[in-house]
Amino acid sequence: MNTTTATKPAAVASKPERRKRPIDYKDLTFNFFNYLLLTVLVLATIYPFYYIFIYSISDSIQAQKGVTFWPAGFSLEAYQTTVKLPGIMDAAIVSLSRTVVGTLITVFCCSFFAYLITKEELPFRKAIYRFVLVTMYFNAGFIPWYLTMKTYGLQNSFLLYVLPTALAGFNVILIKTFIEQLPASLEESAKIDGAGYFKIYTSIIFPLSMPIIATIAVFAAVGQWNTWFDNYFLVENPKLQTLQLVLYNFLNQSSNLSNATTEQLNRGDLVRTLTPQSIRMAITMLVTLPIVLVYPMLQRYFVKGIMMGAVKG
Amino acid sequence: METTTASQTGKKRRFKSSHRRKDGYKLLLAALPFVLIAFAFSYVPLFGWIYAFFDYHPGIPLSKTPFSGLDRFREMFSDPWMGPVLMNTLALSFLSILTAPIPMLFAIMVSEVRSGWFKRLVQTVSTLPHYISWIIVYALAFSMFSTEGAVNTFLMKLGLGGAPVDVLGNYERVWTVQTLLLLWKSVGWSAIIYLAAIVSIDSEQYDAAKVDGAGRRRTIWHITLPSIMPTFIVLLLLSISNLLSAGFEQYLVFSNVMVADRIEVLDLYVYRLGLVTGDYSYSTAVGMFKSIISIVLLFTVNLLSKKFRGQGIV
């Protein structure tokens, strides 16, 4: 075992060069510090996530005395209790549905609009495109936004979560740039076969634009999952509460939380086995988990997408 | 033969153009809903700026509200809160601009990593914080730095440090703490654009430098850095145009009794004036003032960029 691992790097590095020159110590120290520093940064990023994870699965009472690297005992009670807390399940459903519905709407609107903009037959094409792009550069401000949403009757409505984000200038630029570099002949042949614009969009443009659309879908989904601003200011209906806001409230009103949980706990017979801190950790974990799970799988994909946009846009 | 083909193509063209016009209408009709969406959610709110010129109180319709002209804007100069709020906003923006080279350095470090899996790991992990909400960041920071958090518990275990330190409630250090949190959340993400720039550097330059006997540090200094400098400058200029938008969610979430005074930024102030105090008109005026300065800054910076680099950034 040892010999194979030892010979491998030597085989990769060009041997003759090595012999000619003595080991480059400067290079070695550079590598050492570079790897060391990056490792420290990776740990600093990962550790907080790891910490809430081990805390949330620790035995609550033991965890209170401090966990650092390993869970203290093992218990899933924090999760079992968290899931039963009033409002949590509703909030999870709201968060999940706004993520799915909002993402679908954004993806459809941005990609279909981007496709329309690439059609030279579209009258006032440039003007329409600019009209949408300019929205990237200004923002009316908080109060005008608040009053407008109220006027539209979006207060306490699920539509508030998914409608205003439908069309984003930046996404349109990315998709449009992508569609423009697709071969035009594909579309022409479909047209000769008698396909209409919408048919061409659904059966040719959309599938071919998958790389960029996936990128935008991930952005939109993450954005939807994370947003709580609209909920915080315009939705009072507890049935429409998002998971993020539930977490925020839990973190903020720690006294209320402990009261509520103690009541909860008294009803069950978990009294001496759970602390509010454990519940807090479990909730944080529930809100974070979807992102932590989904993100690494897609990350490389959309980094590519962004680079594409950065280079061309 | 020739004449017939000519008339045929002529017919075809005429047919095509009328066909095209019909297509045009169809496309216009299809584009209309999207124009309406953009109008409804981005342009219509702009009409709300009108509130800044009235003495509006919720419940009384605007038509019965006295017109106040520029009074609301004059109010800003005598507002005792305005000074500290602007100070906070500028200080926090300035600190985040000071940390702007860090993502660039980070990208260079990552690009110098030879092992593929380690590079991927560093990139994946470092961008993760960008994808979580400020609420989750708050939850994580709380679990780390509160008096019962991981850091204090750890120090206690080691027997170091007397009383637990409340990092998130530290009045003196709040700007530093918030800047570091922002850096933690954004460094990996901001590095992506530099990584893209580094990848696009012609590798022949490195080969040539190596032949001339340049080491790693010299190639970084003489090739990588100068090649990504333009990207750095563009991003720096853009951040200057965002000087007055210091980040609403972050400071709203991290605000607590101990530090509130020092992290109340302009956006937070606008929200507090509007929804907490109920002064819609003044709040809109302050928000409008902010938007206008931001747009002016953007165009100034763009103009400067055009003058000195020959190309704009907008």
Side-chain angles (χ1 to χ4, degrees):
Chain A
M1 248 328 248
N2 259 333
T3 48
T4 49
T5 47
T7 49
K8 242 187 180 172
V12 174
S14 46
K15 262 181 187 168
E17 210 183 308
R18 272 271 165 97
R19 261 179 219 156
K20 255 186 243 164
R21 272 197 298 178
I23 302 164
D24 189 345
Y25 285 104
K26 269 188 176 174
D27 205 53
L28 222 63
T29 41
F30 178 92
N31 266 339
F32 177 74
F33 282 108
N34 195 23
Y35 278 71
L36 184 74
L37 218 72
L38 287 174
T39 310
V40 169
L41 285 172
V42 165
L43 290 179
T45 312
I46 277 294
Y47 185 70
F49 294 96
Y50 177 70
Y51 177 78
I52 53 162
F53 173 65
I54 56 171
Y55 200 113
S56 67
I57 59 164
S58 289
D59 181 79
S60 191
I61 299 298
Q62 285 183 55
Q64 214 174 12
K65 290 176 201 143
V67 283
T68 37
F69 297 108
W70 307 113
F74 176 77
S75 149
L76 290 176
E77 268 174 42
Y79 286 98
Q80 284 160 355
T81 311
T82 303
V83 171
K84 278 185 226 140
L85 284 177
I88 286 277
M89 272 346 246
D90 287 339
I93 291 167
V94 169
S95 278
L96 211 64
S97 36
R98 83 172 280 178
T99 302
V100 172
V101 177
T103 305
L104 289 177
I105 292 181
T106 304
V107 161
F108 171 73
C109 287
C110 292
S111 63
F112 189 56
F113 180 70
Y115 168 66
L116 291 175
I117 283 298
T118 62
K119 297 269 106 328
E120 270 163 28
E121 304 93 287
L122 174 66
F124 316 113
R125 188 168 73 115
K126 285 239 166 80
I128 292 174
Y129 188 44
R130 283 204 193 116
F131 185 80
V132 170
L133 288 201
V134 167
T135 60
M136 292 194 317
Y137 296 106
F138 65 83
N139 186 326
F142 180 73
I143 294 295
W145 168 79
Y146 178 80
L147 292 174
T148 311
M149 295 304 139
K150 265 185 139 175
T151 316
Y152 291 158
L154 290 177
Q155 197 177 22
N156 285 319
S157 152
F158 183 76
L159 288 177
L160 172 72
Y161 296 152
V162 296
L163 269 192
T165 49
L167 200 59
F170 187 67
N171 294 348
V172 173
I173 297 183
L174 287 183
I175 305 175
K176 177 188 169 262
T177 320
F178 191 92
I179 294 177
E180 273 167 353
Q181 49 107 49
L182 293 174
S185 51
L186 280 169
E187 207 185 323
E188 274 158 22
S189 66
K191 215 169 183 182
I192 289 164
D193 291 343
Y197 288 110
F198 194 71
K199 178 86 184 148
I200 292 172
Y201 162 76
T202 51
S203 58
I204 296 176
I205 302 296
F206 190 84
L208 284 178
S209 312
M210 229 37 219
I212 195 73
I213 291 199
T215 309
I216 276 149
V218 174
F219 279 148
V222 171
Q224 285 290 353
W225 181 262
N226 279 333
T227 308
W228 51 280
F229 190 86
D230 37 20
N231 182 181
Y232 185 70
F233 292 116
L234 280 162
V235 177
E236 283 146 15
N237 182 355
K239 285 263 174 249
L240 280 177
Q241 216 173 19
T242 59
L243 216 43
Q244 299 278 348
L245 200 64
V246 170
L247 172 62
Y248 182 63
N249 290 338
F250 263 73
L251 291 168
N252 250 7
Q253 308 155 345
S254 46
S255 52
N256 288 358
L257 160 72
S258 9
N259 291 342
T261 11
T262 348
E263 258 173 55
Q264 276 265 319
L265 301 182
N266 281 332
R267 258 182 274 140
D269 29 20
L270 300 163
V271 181
R272 250 164 263 115
T273 57
L274 262 185
T275 62
Q277 187 70 358
S278 285
I279 304 223
R280 217 177 269 154
M281 298 292 176
I283 286 206
T284 309
M285 210 57 219
L286 285 180
V287 183
T288 318
L289 210 61
I291 294 210
V292 174
L293 287 183
V294 168
Y295 153 84
M297 286 186 269
L298 298 160
Q299 196 255 0
R300 270 172 72 198
Y301 204 33
F302 56 72
V303 163
K304 236 198 268 143
I306 299 175
M307 287 191 173
M308 232 152 39
V311 172
K312 285 185 185 140
Chain B
M1 263 304 263
E2 268 182 321
T3 46
T4 49
T5 46
S7 75
Q8 258 175 4
T9 48
K11 224 183 224 169
K12 208 174 173 187
R13 198 172 295 143
R14 225 176 304 134
F15 168 73
K16 220 179 172 181
S17 77
S18 79
H19 199 74
R20 271 180 82 119
R21 205 174 306 139
K22 219 173 95 194
D23 278 2
Y25 286 133
K26 256 195 244 163
L27 285 167
L28 197 60
L29 209 65
L32 196 67
F34 303 107
V35 173
L36 285 178
I37 289 177
F39 182 73
F41 291 111
S42 296
Y43 290 85
V44 170
L46 282 181
F47 292 114
W49 278 7
I50 202 169
Y51 289 104
F53 302 96
F54 286 86
D55 193 11
Y56 178 73
H57 293 281
I60 304 162
L62 203 59
S63 54
K64 287 180 188 155
T65 300
F67 182 72
S68 65
L70 294 175
D71 284 0
R72 296 280 90 82
F73 293 90
R74 284 192 202 105
E75 222 174 305
M76 266 183 256
F77 293 96
S78 52
D79 180 351
W81 274 99
M82 211 55 191
V85 165
L86 271 178
M87 177 72 190
N88 292 340
T89 313
L90 291 174
L92 286 161
S93 289
F94 185 69
L95 282 173
S96 86
I97 289 177
L98 265 189
T99 62
I102 294 176
M104 184 173 69
L105 294 180
F106 177 72
I108 293 176
M109 285 167 66
V110 173
S111 72
E112 290 293 331
V113 168
R114 281 165 189 170
S115 141
W117 70 267
F118 187 67
K119 200 181 219 166
R120 243 174 286 137
L121 176 82
V122 174
Q123 267 199 279
T124 310
V125 169
S126 64
T127 20
L128 173 63
H130 173 78
Y131 291 95
I132 58 173
S133 68
W134 275 109
I135 289 179
I136 297 176
V137 176
Y138 176 61
L140 294 176
F142 193 82
S143 71
M144 289 286 108
F145 299 121
S146 70
T147 43
E148 316 156 15
V151 173
N152 278 314
T153 321
F154 188 65
L155 288 179
M156 291 294 195
K157 264 190 183 168
L158 290 181
L160 294 165
V165 201
D166 184 7
V167 179
L168 301 179
N170 187 326
Y171 184 80
E172 305 294 321
R173 299 261 172 274
V174 62
W175 286 349
T176 318
V177 171
Q178 292 303 319
T179 305
L180 289 174
L181 284 167
L182 180 62
L183 191 67
W184 180 83
K185 193 174 190 298
S186 63
V187 69
W189 176 253
S190 317
I192 289 181
I193 193 137
Y194 293 113
L195 280 165
I198 292 172
V199 168
S200 65
I201 298 174
D202 192 352
S203 64
E204 272 178 35
Q205 287 192 43
Y206 287 105
D207 296 339
K210 226 178 254 169
V211 170
D212 291 345
R216 300 274 286 284
R217 269 176 284 188
R218 293 199 71 123
T219 52
I220 291 175
W221 187 253
H222 291 291
I223 301 170
T224 317
L225 256 182
S227 311
I228 58 178
M229 243 352 184
T231 313
F232 177 72
I233 290 170
V234 169
L235 294 180
L236 196 70
L237 290 176
L238 277 176
S239 64
I240 289 172
S241 69
N242 277 326
L243 215 55
L244 292 184
S245 317
F248 177 81
E249 288 191 23
Q250 180 183 358
Y251 306 121
L252 178 65
V253 167
F254 276 96
S255 187
N256 60 47
V257 193
M258 275 87 80
V259 299
D261 286 355
R262 298 199 79 191
I263 56 173
E264 175 142 315
V265 293
L266 211 50
D267 285 324
L268 216 56
Y269 185 51
V270 166
Y271 144 68
R272 201 163 57 92
L273 277 174
L275 283 203
V276 182
T277 322
D279 196 344
Y280 285 24
S281 290
Y282 184 51
S283 170
T284 309
V286 176
M288 200 177 150
F289 159 79
K290 196 206 101 171
S291 300
I292 289 172
I293 291 197
S294 298
I295 289 177
V296 169
L297 278 174
L298 181 69
F299 281 103
T300 315
V301 158
N302 194 40
L303 219 71
L304 285 176
S305 162
K306 264 186 189 152
K307 199 168 176 190
F308 293 113
R309 298 175 44 249
Q311 78 190 99
I313 48 173
V314 182

